[in-house]
Amino acid sequence: MPPTTTPWWRSAVIYQVYIRSFADGNGDGVGDIAGIRSRLPYLKSLGVDALWINPWYTSPQADHGYDVADYREIDPLFGTVAEAEQLIEEAHAHGIRIIPDIVPNHSSDQAAWFQQALTAGPGSPERERYVFRAGRGPDGSLPPNDWDSRFGGPAWTRVPDGEWYLHLFTPQQPDLNWQHPEVHAEFESVLRFWFDRGVDGFRIDVAHGLVKDPELPDLADRDGGAHPFWDRDEVHEIYRSWRKLADEYPGDRSFVAEAWTDTPERLAAYVREDGLHTAFNFDFLMTDWDAKDLRAVIDDTLAMLGTVGAPATWVMSNHDVMRHASRYGRRAAKKWLANESYVPASPADLELGTRRARAAALLTLALPGGAYVYQGEELGLPEIEDLPEAVLQDPVWERSGHTERGRDGCRVPIPWSGTTTPYGFSAADATASPWLPQPADWAPRTVAAQTGDPASMLELYRTALRIRREHPALGDGTLTWLDDTPAGVLAFRREPGFICVVNLSTEPYQLPAHASILLTSGPVEDNRLAPDQAVWLTV
Ligand code: GLC
């Protein structure tokens, strides 16, 4: 890739490819590398700078690839290492960077290391690479402590010889022991394996969870000090070392952390000159469609990241949360938390949600820093909330005892063309249907149907991304709020000569003086911006 003066990751628009659901090249109903390669021209014409690709490594798919059995192989479901190399080369030829996902907190229970640990037995060096412990109670039949797994049930599973192992996620995802030097060495070698093949960075899964309190104390005994497994200060040592490693490679390789922290201050600790480059801004993702709350989260983010000189990232959707067209189509769901409850209290008003999603796209793409686009959000896809129970695949569904439907509703294979399933996701003569069923009413949502329609979500994104690339005020930098706006209206200026206005109130808003309208999320009449609309102006 050509060298740039400002590192690319400070202002990049990164498109998230959930590989299972993006494009199916071999007709087995599951997306793959061949599918991504065939769609590079689309991604180029959309105008994104990089792709973050969800885990593609060899995996029994207990958590759709987040249970990695071999970090140096591609799962046959998705392709081969040679195809990954071709993808990297072809993407680079299109000016698009590639960022795979790395999963360091846990491996698959089918990984060679874990299988060796099982065979070698209690007290062996092989067990030291994971977190094995004796149980509690006279016969050790109770878990070693009171930690729960993120997907329901205890975070411990007992093996036949009587020991227990820790898994913060499913039992098929045993946690690695990051107090062990071999674990550090192994992951540095894996990073090199892929950097040597030309990847431009990594998205780090559960970046805040790697180091556990070695005493493994009960959560019930926590007295306000550090959490025994989330966001412990010791994780930063790991990332300092990863940063040095990345800096040895040419071309601004970069990391993005999936780190859920309690405060923006804690998040800022991940992104320093000697640490990771960027982190997902989940506070923004979790904020309702409310002007005061959004402004507060934007200000807090920019202030905190400013103290460490890191750029912000703006994220509205990903493969773990309800799609934002559906989220914004609900009455303010205050306390809406990702990963907490997937049971919506009321049906979504999709017309409203879509209007807001259009305005939100203009908001996020105008804010200082980088932005993420989750595949399908550029098509305005909603959450699919009525998938039949029989097709649900997310482990959350089983682990929660069928009380939470899980994350399948945002992972439905995306529609490319045609009027019936598989909507071009797989070829018409494919041997299998898409791995999750697509809705019958998606014909108007396909890429083909939206292309060239100026009123479509797709063309809004295309135009916004083109203007963002060309306009010197957008991307990295700062903003200044226009403070003479009524409550419910967000307006900010970026230099040179750019204003973004978003109307989150219930009244039309008279636009400030401007030279021209660059882009609007909906029609503007008599210079009045209707509720739930946004506009980009030049001044
Ligand atoms: C992250 C991923 C999620 C996965 C979990 C366990 O939160 O985004 O999809 O289930 O980690 O690896």
Side-chain angles (χ1 to χ4, degrees):
M1 303 294 290
T4 46
T5 41
T6 309
W8 66 276
W9 46 267
R10 295 193 65 90
S11 56
V13 176
I14 302 183
Y15 185 91
Q16 180 189 351
V17 173
Y18 191 69
I19 184 167
R20 294 182 78 80
S21 304
F22 184 65
D24 169 18
N26 67 356
D28 65 355
V30 178
D32 47 35
I33 295 178
I36 305 175
R37 290 174 60 201
S38 74
R39 298 298 181 181
L40 285 172
Y42 167 73
L43 295 163
K44 172 84 187 168
S45 84
L46 182 59
V48 297
D49 301 301
L51 309 181
W52 150 34
I53 303 176
N54 289 97
W56 52 10
Y57 315 103
T58 310
S59 162
Q61 306 289 323
D63 185 20
H64 288 159
Y66 283 99
D67 48 321
V68 179
D70 186 343
Y71 292 85
R72 296 179 187 79
E73 275 294 345
I74 298 283
D75 197 285
L77 197 55
F78 303 132
T80 62
V81 172
E83 276 182 278
E85 288 170 341
Q86 279 170 316
L87 168 67
I88 295 163
E89 201 182 311
E90 291 163 6
H92 286 174
H94 282 86
I96 296 174
R97 291 180 157 91
I98 298 287
I99 300 176
D101 216 309
I102 182 94
V103 190
N105 181 67
H106 43 265
S107 73
S108 158
D109 62 345
Q110 299 306 311
W113 271 10
F114 192 73
Q115 288 301 312
Q116 289 158 12
L118 288 182
T119 319
S124 62
E126 287 83 350
R127 285 218 171 166
E128 294 288 303
R129 295 167 177 150
Y130 292 89
V131 186
F132 279 88
R133 288 291 186 282
R136 291 206 278 213
D139 53 357
S141 63
L142 298 171
N145 69 21
D146 67 353
W147 301 358
D148 279 335
S149 119
R150 294 314 86 199
F151 298 153
W156 296 91
T157 289
R158 200 172 193 192
V159 300
D161 58 49
E163 278 204 325
W164 297 75
Y165 68 89
L166 175 69
H167 51 84
L168 293 181
F169 295 88
T170 70
Q172 292 83 23
Q173 294 165 293
D175 280 56
L176 286 152
N177 172 16
W178 276 89
Q179 325 277 355
H180 196 306
E182 279 182 34
V183 173
H184 290 245
E186 168 65 0
F187 275 90
E188 296 202 353
S189 149
V190 168
L191 294 178
R192 285 187 191 283
F193 178 90
W194 290 103
F195 276 143
D196 289 340
R197 276 159 187 78
V199 303
D200 299 281
F202 288 92
R203 177 259 188 192
I204 306 172
D205 188 57
V206 199
H208 58 309
L210 275 46
V211 181
K212 280 80 184 176
D213 182 335
E215 306 294 322
L216 305 177
D218 276 338
L219 269 172
D221 293 340
R222 193 180 168 209
D223 55 7
H227 193 280
F229 51 91
W230 289 146
D231 190 26
R232 296 179 64 80
D233 291 337
E234 301 91 313
V235 292
H236 301 302
E237 261 169 63
I238 301 169
Y239 302 133
R240 273 194 284 275
S241 160
W242 287 19
R243 175 64 177 255
K244 281 197 202 111
L245 191 158
D247 285 347
E248 286 173 28
Y249 285 84
D252 288 328
R253 316 287 170 113
S254 127
F255 293 109
V256 55
E258 184 211 20
W260 297 82
T261 62
D262 284 343
T263 61
E265 288 87 339
R266 295 290 308 178
L267 189 66
Y270 285 78
V271 286
R272 293 181 302 212
E273 249 173 63
D274 64 344
L276 302 174
H277 303 75
T278 56
F280 294 115
N281 184 349
F282 292 124
D283 286 342
F284 184 76
L285 180 152
M286 289 189 291
T287 303
D288 275 328
W289 188 248
D290 175 279
K292 205 164 136 258
D293 293 353
L294 282 170
R295 178 163 170 173
V297 93
I298 293 166
D299 281 339
D300 286 353
T301 302
L302 295 175
M304 275 329 298
L305 294 175
T307 62
V308 288
T313 64
W314 307 101
V315 189
M316 292 187 285
S317 281
N318 64 33
H319 65 295
D320 290 329
V321 301
M322 176 179 288
R323 281 187 178 275
H324 64 267
S326 298
R327 249 174 31 232
Y328 293 154
R330 293 197 149 86
R331 193 180 300 286
K334 274 296 163 252
K335 305 287 170 241
W336 183 86
L337 284 181
N339 291 332
E340 258 199 6
S341 177
Y342 296 94
V343 188
S346 58
D349 174 346
L350 284 183
E351 218 184 277
L352 175 70
T354 304
R355 212 160 48 236
R356 291 177 172 174
R358 292 175 64 86
L362 295 202
L363 169 64
T364 51
L365 293 172
L367 287 170
Y372 282 82
V373 175
Y374 176 47
Q375 65 179 38
E377 85 174 53
E378 82 278 24
L379 304 176
L381 298 188
E383 183 81 2
I384 303 305
E385 300 185 42
D386 58 355
L387 287 170
E389 292 181 355
V391 307
L392 295 181
Q393 301 205 19
D394 185 357
V396 168
W397 173 240
E398 286 303 326
R399 298 276 303 163
S400 70
H402 296 184
T403 57
E404 294 193 13
R405 292 172 63 87
R407 302 161 293 180
D408 292 320
C410 65
R411 299 174 173 182
V412 173
I414 69 169
W416 293 93
S417 58
T419 51
T420 51
T421 189
Y423 298 107
F425 167 71
S426 307
D429 61 354
T431 52
S433 334
W435 70 278
L436 282 174
Q438 299 165 306
D441 63 357
W442 265 8
R445 299 209 183 260
T446 64
V447 170
Q450 296 194 39
T451 298
D453 172 0
S456 70
M457 187 72 92
L458 178 56
E459 293 300 344
L460 180 76
Y461 268 79
R462 273 203 184 117
T463 309
L465 290 171
R466 179 180 51 73
I467 295 173
R468 188 185 151 100
R469 269 196 314 279
E470 291 166 358
H471 202 294
L474 295 178
D476 199 20
T478 54
L479 65 70
T480 312
W481 295 103
L482 305 187
D483 273 324
D484 51 354
T485 52
V489 174
L490 292 179
F492 57 87
R493 191 176 164 129
R494 302 205 54 193
E495 299 306 337
F498 177 95
I499 286 180
C500 173
V501 186
V502 191
N503 186 357
L504 298 95
S505 76
T506 50
E507 300 297 321
Y509 171 67
Q510 189 72 35
L511 291 176
H514 55 270
S516 67
I517 292 183
L518 281 171
L519 186 61
T520 66
S521 67
V524 170
E525 275 162 33
D526 301 331
N527 265 330
R528 284 149 66 88
L529 188 65
D532 297 316
Q533 302 285 6
V535 63
W536 286 359
L537 307 172
T538 53
V539 282

